[in-house]
Structures are given as structure tokens and as C-alpha cells.
Amino acid sequence: YTLSLHDALPILSPEVRRLRDVVATMTERQKQVYQLVLLEGRGYTEVAKILDCSPANVKQICNKVIALIKAGV
């Protein structure tokens, strides 16, 4: 028997559910930075090249994402 994602949702911890809810409120760019920097561990310069913006902009978005996560979780 394989547990589907839908079946697994009720067993997610409250923290994981809150994080999921916070990510759902992020802009598309914030989600991209969250994925690339915080989940994949890529550097600001690399992400800036991928997203065609400055490393400073990536850092600024990353700081906003972290603040959103801390406020929501």
C-alpha cells in the first residue's frame, strides 16, 4: 500500500502545515528564492544569474522569505 500525498496531509505536523501555508502566500519570486537558496543551498550569485537579477536583490528577497517563515511558524 502506497500512501498518497492527500492521505498523508492529516498526519503532517502542525509546523509543516503552517510552513506550507506560509509558502502558499509567497509571491512567485519569493517561492523561487525559497527553493533555490533555502532548500537547494545555492548561493546568492548563482541564484541571481538564474533569476536575472542582482545578488543583493536575491539576498533582500531571501531575508523577506525568512521573516515570513519566522512570523508564520
Side-chain angles (χ1 to χ4, degrees), residues 17-70:
R17 279 186 249 140
R18 284 194 296 273
L19 178 58
R20 182 194 59 204
D21 293 345
V22 169
V23 171
T25 69
M26 292 179 188
T27 66
E28 196 59 38
R29 181 55 57 105
Q30 288 171 333
K31 289 176 186 176
Q32 291 171 323
V33 170
Y34 171 71
Q35 174 71 39
L36 294 169
V37 176
L38 298 176
L39 298 181
E40 295 181 18
R42 297 177 188 234
Y44 295 148
T45 302
E46 180 183 4
V47 174
K49 288 177 184 175
I50 293 168
L51 300 180
D52 193 29
C53 63
S54 71
N57 187 241
V58 173
K59 183 178 180 181
Q60 179 184 28
I61 295 168
C62 189
N63 288 337
K64 175 66 175 176
V65 166
I66 291 169
L68 288 170
I69 292 170
K70 285 181 178 180

